[in-house]
Amino acid sequence: MKKTMLRWVIYAMSATPLLSVAQSTEPVPNKHSSLFGGGGMNYRTFSLGINGGVTAPSVLIGGSNDFTKSKVGYGYGAYAKWQLLHFFSLRADYMGGRIQGDQSRDLGNGRPPGRDVESFETRLKWTATLSGVFNFASINWAYRQPLAQLYASVGGGLAGYSPRITPPGGSEMEYKTDGNIKELIIPVGAGIKFRLNDFMNLDLGYTMNFLDADNFDGFNYGPSKDRFSYGYAGLEFALGARTKPQLQWHNGPAVMYDDMLAQRDQLRLELEAEKNNNAKLAADVAKLQVDSDGDGVSDIFDKCPNTPAGDRVDGSGCSLPKPDTARPVQVIITDDDRRLVRNAIDNLEFETGKSNIRPKSHASLDEVAALLIRKNLSLKLAGHTDNTGNRALNMRLSKDRAESVKSYLVGKGVNPSRIEATGYGQDQPIATNKTAAGRQQNRRVEFTIY
């Protein structure tokens, strides 16, 4: 049985190169490009599987057995799998079946075994195991969509079983009459999977199961613990939208390589386009730099190309009228002007958490607007907040409130170029932010006339 199972696995593994020849070497559309597949949003990651096959009370790696001949039994199983990465998944397995063997084969020295138990048949009622499954063929630089992949698995769990034994010359009997045996089981497996379509796979595998005792065959003989194997064929069904591919068939390195090639080609096109744009821009700049009369206006825009040297010119290159040499009128800011501005600051109120000015503040702002117009003064508005809330939001709120005051004054006829509005947020407090009174003082808009 051991040799037969070994041949079966070798035949399955040797088919992989032939399948690789049949695989398409054309890159698939890069719809889901990333090394790890983009997770469950772009791929199907959950699947269910069923399988059936043959069992034997021996494994490929050998080891001593309590019975000289392993007989073929049958097994069946099902599993649920969660594909975490394109090369790794977690799989919860259930398995049942029957395993049997006898002492009908002589020992190596030609003598009969002469053991206390002639044969056994164990009913494997259930196994519950959790395994990690590692895909190998998905990491392939040559093929973008493999039709087959190799995998290996290892895990652990519990097994529930009931052995029946037959002593020499006796009748079959229960090994344990008071119930089932439950023991730790370690499954170690390998296999090959074939992609039939986007939602179904053919699964051929072989699992070696190692038990943590020598009760499985109902005969405690020798120092070794019992083991059995399960060779199976089954189908795996991917769950989820059929428009999404299976993550386990995602070839991360190959897709990443295609992405890099596409990005390189795109960068080459963009670089070439930028070179052409830069050459055109350099030619345009050279034209703009030509200024024959030296007045600072390019010949392209100069409507007065022969402006006398030293003349101030407008945007079209024509001489501006000579400035009036009369001394400017000196503006005097009085104490009454300053009191008027302080009164406007004291009366300035906004809607809570907003930049809307309350109507009760309009009268004092009207007086400030009239002062600015009458004396042609300039005004600097500085908005401040306390440290309550988000720093970035406070900065924007202080700026919005200063701009709100500016908009109101401009609406009353003040020259907008005479008003500068700046927000400082919570960075320039004039009182402590630990008290309500201090925070009230810090929520302000300062007026500076000049």
Side-chain angles (χ1 to χ4, degrees):
M1 175 61 191
K2 188 185 302 181
K3 293 182 178 179
T4 302
M5 193 64 66
L6 178 61
R7 291 194 195 99
W8 180 86
V9 174
I10 293 174
Y11 291 155
M13 301 306 180
S14 63
T16 304
L18 299 177
L19 290 168
S20 298
V21 174
Q23 298 174 123
S24 171
T25 58
E26 294 297 324
V28 297
N30 195 5
K31 182 180 179 182
H32 308 285
S33 60
S34 76
L35 181 58
F36 297 104
M41 294 182 62
N42 296 327
Y43 292 85
R44 281 184 280 182
T45 57
F46 291 95
S47 57
L48 299 176
I50 56 174
N51 51 63
V54 296
T55 61
S58 59
V59 295
L60 285 178
I61 61 174
S64 60
N65 292 316
D66 298 341
F67 292 81
T68 59
K69 184 177 181 180
S70 298
K71 301 179 70 175
V72 175
Y74 66 89
Y76 49 87
Y79 63 82
K81 189 179 70 173
W82 180 19
Q83 195 76 34
L84 298 174
L85 300 171
H86 65 278
F87 58 86
F88 177 74
S89 62
L90 290 177
R91 192 179 71 197
D93 282 87
Y94 160 82
M95 181 192 168
R98 293 184 184 273
I99 299 89
Q100 52 191 351
D102 59 30
Q103 310 286 11
S104 61
R105 181 174 294 170
D106 292 339
L107 299 177
N109 57 10
R111 297 179 180 178
R115 297 176 181 175
D116 295 338
V117 178
E118 183 66 27
S119 65
F120 83 96
E121 179 178 285
T122 296
R123 180 185 175 191
L124 181 63
K125 296 184 177 180
W126 56 268
T127 66
T129 59
L130 180 65
S131 302
V133 182
F134 301 86
N135 296 336
F136 298 109
S138 60
I139 305 176
N140 189 329
W141 294 91
Y143 304 104
R144 304 302 188 260
Q145 266 195 327
L147 296 178
Q149 63 179 210
L150 302 175
Y151 67 87
S153 64
V154 62
L158 291 174
Y161 58 88
S162 177
R164 294 181 64 86
I165 59 175
T166 302
S171 59
E172 188 178 56
M173 57 184 291
E174 294 286 347
Y175 169 69
K176 184 178 182 181
T177 59
D178 57 349
N180 298 325
I181 301 175
K182 296 179 182 178
E183 284 177 348
L184 176 68
I185 185 171
I186 304 296
V188 179
I192 182 171
K193 193 172 293 184
F194 300 88
R195 184 171 59 85
L196 301 180
N197 49 49
D198 287 338
F199 68 95
M200 185 168 62
N201 308 313
L202 175 63
D203 187 12
L204 304 178
Y206 176 77
T207 303
M208 298 180 293
N209 298 278
F210 300 90
L211 293 123
D212 192 30
D214 196 16
N215 300 312
F216 187 73
D217 55 13
F219 184 31
N220 193 335
Y221 179 83
S224 300
K225 296 180 180 180
D226 286 332
R227 65 202 73 184
F228 71 93
S229 60
Y230 176 44
Y232 58 86
L235 292 176
E236 181 180 85
F237 304 92
L239 304 180
R242 296 186 63 173
T243 57
K244 297 180 180 180
Q246 301 178 52
L247 178 57
Q248 65 179 319
W249 296 102
H250 175 72
N251 189 341
V255 172
M256 183 179 67
Y257 180 72
D258 290 341
D259 283 349
M260 293 174 62
L261 291 181
Q263 292 174 9
R264 181 200 63 185
D265 295 339
Q266 181 63 28
L267 285 175
R268 284 178 176 175
L269 294 175
E270 293 176 359
L271 181 60
E272 191 64 29
E274 286 300 321
K275 287 181 178 179
N276 295 334
N277 290 336
N278 289 341
K280 182 180 178 181
L281 181 60
D284 293 339
V285 170
K287 293 180 181 178
L288 289 173
Q289 290 176 338
V290 178
D291 181 13
S292 301
D293 55 9
D295 59 0
V297 178
S298 171
D299 287 353
I300 296 178
F301 306 106
D302 199 340
K303 296 182 179 179
C304 302
N306 298 314
T307 303
D311 277 9
R312 297 179 61 191
V313 298
D314 57 17
S316 62
C318 297
S319 298
L320 292 170
K322 297 298 186 287
D324 188 358
T325 57
R327 295 181 61 186
V329 178
Q330 183 177 4
V331 177
I332 298 175
I333 300 175
T334 66
D335 290 339
D336 289 337
D337 297 336
R338 293 189 178 90
R339 279 195 295 273
L340 185 148
V341 171
R342 283 197 299 273
N343 181 59
I345 297 174
D346 294 340
N347 291 328
L348 182 59
E349 294 184 9
F350 298 91
E351 298 292 340
T352 303
K354 300 179 181 180
S355 61
N356 299 333
I357 302 172
R358 291 183 173 176
K360 64 179 295 184
S361 304
H362 291 174
S364 56
L365 290 177
D366 292 344
E367 294 179 354
V368 173
L371 173 63
L372 296 177
I373 295 171
R374 183 173 66 255
K375 290 193 173 183
N376 199 27
L377 296 176
S378 296
L379 175 65
K380 180 177 180 179
L381 300 170
H384 303 271
T385 68
D386 58 25
N387 67 348
T388 303
N390 182 274
R391 184 185 191 89
L393 294 178
N394 286 338
M395 181 65 72
R396 187 165 67 245
L397 179 59
S398 65
K399 173 67 173 176
D400 291 345
R401 286 182 170 177
E403 289 288 351
S404 181
V405 174
K406 177 179 178 179
S407 298
Y408 182 87
L409 296 175
V410 170
K412 294 299 180 178
V414 179
N415 186 346
S417 65
R418 290 283 186 175
I419 303 177
E420 176 187 356
T422 308
Y424 295 95
Q426 62 191 50
D427 294 339
Q428 297 183 8
I430 59 174
T432 179
N433 280 306
K434 296 181 179 180
T435 65
R439 291 191 295 272
Q440 176 64 35
Q441 295 181 55
N442 290 332
R443 296 191 296 268
R444 68 197 188 279
V445 176
E446 297 178 343
F447 294 52
T448 304
I449 56 174
Y450 58 94

